[in-house]
Amino acid sequence: MTSKRVCILGGSGFVGQHLVARLGNKGISSRVITRHPQRHRQLKVIPGTELVKSNIFDRAALSHQFQGCDAVINLIGILNETTGQGFHRLHVELVDVVVEACRSAGIKRLLHMSALNASEANGSSHYLRSKGEGESWAHTRGGGFAAVTSFRPSVIFGPGDSFFNRFAGLLERAPLLFPLACAESRFAPVYVGDVVEAFSQALDDSRTFGNHYDLCGPRSFSLGELVSYTAQTIGKRRILMELGDSAARLQARVMEKLPGKPFTMDNYLSLQSDSVCDENGLEQLGIEPTDIEAVVPLYLAHQRQRDRLYQFRQPRG
């Protein structure tokens, strides 16, 4: 069966917007479930895209929205807990609701976004344990009536990301000395275009049914190397001060109390596990991984131009 319409939870987020565009280019329509359709009207320029407001924890409401769709894609996840939006609620309880709504609506195909190192038993942080539990739930419960495939990416980069863009913003505002926790933690950054291509290719490929795919870029780097690369790319001379373990823990305990929780103890615990692949699912799917140097300089330069233009247009006091 060739999918013609999919329902996407998290379709208005970073990965979701890229996925909706990729599917639209292939002639696949997307029904995007979102709390605030008015904030994401730009997605409606993609042919066949429908924005629907719905309570994602209401099984009956979700089942109704899943009607007429050939597949469901769950991209919802958070890196930090906020009031009412905890890891267990969004990564585990929501998966239960989605699976039951799929069962009720007769959905036979479910794609699920997990995370590299996700493990209910061995995850180094609450985030990774909850991601692992949700992934297991999707396969064990959903696999009883639907073909389930899950994807476990390393940190995802691309236009609009919250990794390179975030560090670029911090480096722009930082003094010469830039303190960095867990500088030796390793990542294999994976391009968002490759991630959504993996979803797109797997959608109707029966060879992917029941599989879990780790997704990584072609090279691994320490966090310190990635931050230094970002500074060099935006033309900022900064000296990295690598924090020891005690100082890193202290930084996490202080920063998790700040607005937006820029760095938390759970983030610190996640960083104790290197985010690299033993076997790259992109290569298994026939996708050549994209290197950071092919993409990152382009969108960081574009973002800096936009920021300068915005500052220029602001009224002077």
Side-chain angles (χ1 to χ4, degrees), residues 71-122:
V72 168
I73 301 176
N74 178 27
L75 300 175
I76 291 180
I78 55 172
L79 290 175
N80 291 320
E81 294 184 302
T82 59
T83 303
Q85 300 291 324
F87 290 136
H88 192 269
R89 179 164 172 77
L90 285 174
H91 296 164
V92 182
E93 294 176 21
L94 176 61
V95 174
D96 181 33
V97 175
V98 170
V99 166
E100 291 307 313
C102 284
R103 186 195 304 273
S104 178
I107 298 294
K108 301 298 183 183
R109 185 70 171 120
L110 174 63
L111 303 184
H112 178 77
M113 178 71 92
S114 186
L116 201 57
N117 296 319
S119 171
E120 181 178 0
N122 301 313

Side-chain angles (χ1 to χ4, degrees), residues 153-158 188-195 215-218 280 282 289-290 292:
S154 182
V155 62
I156 303 175
F157 71 91
V190 58
Y191 178 45
V192 65
D194 295 338
V195 173
L215 305 180
C216 285
N280 196 344
L282 290 179
T290 302
I292 60 173

Side-chain angles (χ1 to χ4, degrees), residues 179-230:
L180 183 65
C182 306
E184 296 303 314
S185 298
R186 299 197 68 81
F187 297 87
V190 58
Y191 178 45
V192 65
D194 295 338
V195 173
V196 300
E197 181 61 21
F199 274 83
S200 174
Q201 287 193 20
L203 186 60
D204 296 317
D205 188 347
S206 61
R207 293 172 298 180
T208 68
F209 293 179
N211 290 348
H212 309 250
Y213 291 98
D214 292 348
L215 305 180
C216 285
R219 291 191 288 164
S220 69
F221 307 84
S222 70
L223 180 59
E225 289 171 335
L226 290 171
V227 173
S228 294
Y229 171 76
T230 305

Side-chain angles (χ1 to χ4, degrees), residues 130-147:
S130 65
K131 272 294 194 178
E133 186 176 355
E135 181 182 354
S136 296
W137 195 261
H139 281 266
T140 55
R141 291 294 298 273
F145 61 89

